[in-house]
Amino acid sequence: MRIANTVSQLQDFISERSGNGKKIAFVPTMGALHKGHISLINRAKEEADIVVCSIFVNPTQFTDPKDLEKYPRPLEHDIKMLDQAGTDVVFMPSVLEMYPEWPVPEKWDINLGQTEFLLEGAFRKGHYQGVTQIVKKLFDAVGPHIAYFGQKDFQQVLMIRKMVGLFNMPVEIISCPIVREDDGLAMSSRNIHLSAIERQNALILSKALQYVSDNQNERSFSALTQTAIEMINNADGVVLEYFTIADTQTLLPFNVSGNAVALVAAKVGNTRLIDNMLLG
Ligand code: AMP
């Protein structure tokens, strides 16, 4: 596996390898890799010829400077995991490589529509501007035909599809299923911040989602939402931010037709977790 720290190293490697209509797949990450990330690499390997992964903790998508500072960065472990998974190249740029004027903010304000301001966007102001800004830069650097994202960050996939449409980018966006621990907890780089007790308390999020999924044909969505909220509010050490059953395209509260997804965000101790489950 090659390691590229600059856009030009990355592009030299890709152009060396990408002749004859080879398909380039891309998996962007912030590192602290787990089996959820590796599931994206595995899928990319099945469907493309060259697999590029990036590890970049993007400062512009963090609303809380403490969260950015304490974001885990186990680089050696990550490189080993990516190598074992058969990644062709990992791109690990510095902040200055991606934002040459840093810390002066670059102008970036695109119209992602009202969905930007719902759910995660309401709790993390400007988050999806930062996400789309870095993903656009990374797509420009890699030039992928196809890019893989996790359904775990459900709203993120919608926002990236929107950005790709706005810029007419020739890249296919694939959303991959959430990989969970055996007890149901959605894998996340942030889980390592959980103490043993918090980790146990955090299980209420996937339990509430599973409850809604299991009972979706028996009870109304509003009754299910109410019970799920009660379940989470009754759990020790968990502070609910939102629980909603929403339309999969708009993320507005689900209304009769279309497809539905249940989404949740909560703080467990000092760690903010999100999860979701498709219904129907
Ligand atoms: P992150 O490093 O958290 O930015 O995540 C990088 C990519 O991995 C994003 O597309 C995430 O949605 C995806 N991802 C994170 N956790 C999981 C998971 N448990 N299952 C599947 N994909 C995931």
Side-chain angles (χ1 to χ4, degrees):
M1 182 177 73
R2 291 277 191 98
I3 297 176
N5 295 115
T6 65
V7 173
S8 84
Q9 285 168 357
L10 174 71
Q11 291 182 341
D12 283 352
F13 175 76
I14 292 175
S15 55
E16 240 172 62
R17 292 280 305 274
S18 68
N20 303 330
K22 290 233 172 81
K23 189 168 174 179
I24 302 167
F26 180 41
V27 178
T29 81
M30 297 205 300
L33 302 180
H34 49 67
K35 286 184 197 151
H37 297 110
I38 298 305
S39 74
L40 308 184
I41 302 283
N42 290 342
R43 174 93 182 260
K45 276 189 70 71
E46 276 169 27
E47 296 178 357
D49 303 300
I50 300 170
V51 176
V52 182
C53 178
S54 63
I55 297 178
F56 182 65
V57 183
N58 173 38
T60 70
Q61 72 189 69
F62 283 80
T63 38
D64 175 359
K66 275 203 213 103
D67 189 23
L68 171 62
E69 199 184 307
K70 74 172 192 188
Y71 201 83
R73 292 166 168 88
L75 272 189
E76 265 177 43
H77 156 272
D78 287 351
I79 290 170
K80 203 166 156 199
M81 272 183 100
L82 289 176
D83 194 21
Q84 281 170 357
T87 310
D88 294 290
V89 54
V90 56
F91 179 46
M92 300 195 302
S94 65
V95 172
L96 277 177
E97 180 71 12
M98 298 317 289
Y99 299 105
E101 307 281 303
W102 190 259
V104 179
E106 284 172 32
K107 193 171 156 38
W108 181 267
D109 185 10
I110 61 170
N111 184 358
L112 295 166
Q114 67 172 343
T115 309
E116 178 192 349
F117 306 107
L118 304 172
L119 308 181
E120 286 304 288
F123 282 88
R124 305 177 74 188
K125 297 262 178 295
H127 175 64
Y128 291 115
Q129 292 298 328
V131 168
T132 51
Q133 180 182 31
I134 191 61
V135 173
K136 168 76 165 62
K137 282 171 178 276
L138 291 168
F139 280 2
D140 286 344
V142 175
H145 299 101
I146 189 161
Y148 296 84
F149 292 85
Q151 183 204 309
K152 164 89 179 358
D153 296 280
F154 195 91
Q155 191 170 5
Q156 172 168 280
V157 179
L158 294 181
M159 295 294 90
I160 284 162
R161 289 206 166 113
K162 178 80 181 179
M163 182 274 287
V164 162
L166 288 175
F167 290 98
N168 303 103
M169 300 190 91
V171 52
E172 186 183 355
I173 304 298
I174 306 287
S175 173
C176 301
I178 301 175
V179 177
R180 297 179 180 281
E181 305 285 357
D182 290 344
D183 56 12
L185 183 69
M187 289 192 185
S188 164
S189 304
R190 290 190 165 85
N191 291 351
I192 64 163
H193 295 312
L194 299 171
S195 68
I197 293 172
E198 287 169 346
R199 185 169 174 325
Q200 208 50 36
N201 294 342
L203 292 179
I204 197 64
L205 304 186
S206 54
K207 282 195 180 128
L209 290 168
Q210 193 62 54
Y211 165 80
V212 167
S213 174
D214 291 346
N215 292 281
Q216 58 184 299
N217 298 323
E218 276 76 54
R219 302 183 67 201
S220 70
F221 280 180
S222 70
L224 290 168
T225 304
Q226 206 183 323
T227 305
I229 289 172
E230 280 164 18
M231 286 168 75
I232 296 167
N233 283 339
N234 288 336
D236 282 336
V238 180
V239 178
L240 181 63
E241 290 191 347
Y242 61 79
F243 189 103
T244 182
I245 300 179
D247 180 277
T248 53
Q249 294 306 310
T250 64
L251 297 187
L252 290 167
F254 184 79
N255 192 2
V256 199
S257 64
N259 295 313
V261 57
L263 303 122
V264 64
K267 277 191 113 171
V268 181
N270 289 322
T271 307
R272 190 172 181 280
L273 300 178
I274 59 172
D275 197 355
N276 68 79
M277 213 170 269
L278 284 165
L279 304 179

